[in-house]
Amino acid sequence: MPLVATAELVAAARAAGRGVAAFNVITLEHAEAIAAGAEAAGRPAVLQVSQNAVRFHGGRLGPLAAAMAEVARAADVPLALHLDHVTSVELLRSAPAHGFGSVMFDASALPYARNVAATADAVRWGHEHGVWVEAELGRVGGKDGEPPLDAHAPGVRTDPEEAAGYAAATGVDALAVAVGSSHAMTERTAALDHGLIRRLRRAVPVPLVLHGSSGVPDAELRRAVTAGMVKINIGTALNTAFTGAVRAHLAGHPGVVDPRRYLAPARDAMARTVAHFIGLLDGEAAAADGTAPEPSANTAGTGNAAGTRTGNGNAAGDPVTADGGS
């Protein structure tokens, strides 16, 4: 199936009152699992790669991007490619050449005025080159190995009035907002401010994006979509599933040396996780009609990993947290 644009998937989800899931890719197995999980759920999804993941691959976007594009084109559901948490202008400007039609340009660590100026420049360049640009206002903590922020601390959450002004000043196509989630959470204990989400939806004319969704319980995610969140970013949950499956396989088979033996169950575990999260994003309707089952061994996986090639090992440490993902 041809690649689709993130903008198209987000617009369709917003019009239908649904969410669209965006999953972080670190390895080829991540991309394959996202495609398999989306096919099992029968829904589109976004494959996104962060600047941290590009750094992990030696600063070279091209090889991973090419693999992601081939996986997406082979899928039976629409899939889009997105660059996530980009702070490098050079990386931003490499997006179109590598098949990315959308970028999350992250100037959220800068003071407000500098965030506006940097993001407006990124948006101008992006629109001149056909790139849909997401940005962030507020602080969704836990990126780049930093500890998760206290989501209740003053100044952390996004102010609706400021967000409206920010969207107007920058021209962004979507806005990531801080409403109680944090990146890199391995426990699903985040409590979102659903009243704030509704106020942001009324104030901001562009689709809202939830980062740090891995740490948000199922019911909270459904409510967030109902309240107005559209693009739902998920990263750490895949890494947790991947690493858990690898550890379990190696514990039961301590003599194994063929990485395909443990990458296959790891990929399958990620695919089940993908299908589960996608099933949540019809909002509260999913809970009512039973379309969001818990992950199980019966969820369609990715099949036999024989013949799959893998890259070098993760020298950066535990993959659950190394990417600082959503």
Side-chain angles (χ1 to χ4, degrees):
M1 180 171 287
L3 286 173
V4 298
T6 302
E8 179 182 332
L9 297 186
V10 170
R14 190 186 193 196
R18 295 173 174 162
V20 61
F23 297 98
N24 284 65
V25 173
I26 300 175
T27 68
L28 173 60
E29 287 75 25
H30 283 73
E32 292 173 331
I34 295 164
E39 288 176 334
R43 290 288 174 82
V46 179
L47 285 76
Q48 56 187 29
V49 58
S50 72
Q51 183 168 304
N52 282 344
V54 175
R55 186 181 301 118
F56 167 74
H57 287 284
R60 295 182 294 274
L61 174 60
L64 183 60
M68 291 166 62
E70 286 303 308
V71 168
R73 291 188 186 102
D76 294 333
V77 292
L79 298 174
L81 303 186
H82 176 76
L83 272 176
D84 194 37
H85 284 295
V86 170
T87 60
S88 162
V89 172
E90 181 182 3
L91 183 59
L92 163 72
R93 295 186 176 184
S94 73
H98 292 294
F100 292 87
S102 61
V103 175
M104 187 272 183
F105 185 77
D106 189 359
S108 64
L110 300 177
Y112 179 80
R114 291 177 60 197
N115 183 347
V116 168
T119 303
D121 285 344
V123 170
R124 277 192 294 271
W125 184 90
H127 289 177
E128 288 171 0
H129 294 83
V131 176
W132 183 92
V133 180
E134 172 190 333
E136 181 177 318
L137 184 66
R139 292 299 308 278
V140 183
K143 294 194 293 287
D144 298 323
E146 70 182 10
L149 291 176
D150 178 356
H152 303 283
V156 170
R157 297 199 181 184
T158 307
D159 177 74
E161 184 176 349
E162 188 173 63
Y166 180 89
T170 60
V172 291
D173 299 299
L175 186 62
V177 292
V179 294
S181 60
S182 182
H183 295 93
M185 290 183 68
T186 55
E187 295 183 1
R188 302 185 67 193
T189 56
L192 303 182
D193 187 334
H194 299 283
L196 176 57
I197 296 171
R198 288 190 291 271
R199 293 194 297 276
L200 287 163
R201 180 187 63 187
R202 291 192 294 267
V204 179
V206 299
L208 300 178
V209 182
L210 183 66
H211 286 226
S213 303
S214 293
V216 181
D218 289 358
E220 288 283 285
L221 278 180
R222 293 189 192 104
R223 289 184 63 198
V225 172
T226 300
M229 285 292 179
V230 181
K231 181 172 175 278
I232 309 297
N233 283 18
I234 300 150
T236 299
L238 270 63
N239 298 337
T240 299
F242 180 104
T243 306
V246 170
R247 285 179 175 144
H249 188 87
L250 292 178
H253 306 82
V256 71
V257 295
D258 185 343
R260 292 171 294 185
R261 301 303 179 192
Y262 51 82
L263 288 176
R267 187 174 55 185
D268 289 348
M270 288 194 291
R272 291 192 294 271
T273 300
V274 167
H276 174 72
F277 273 96
I278 290 175
L280 299 173
L281 301 187
D282 283 345
E284 292 183 340
D289 66 12
T291 57
E294 290 297 323
S296 72
N298 295 326
T299 304
T302 57
N304 192 335
T308 300
R309 292 195 302 272
T310 63
N312 55 5
N314 186 351
D318 188 342
V320 171
T321 57
D323 189 53
S326 296

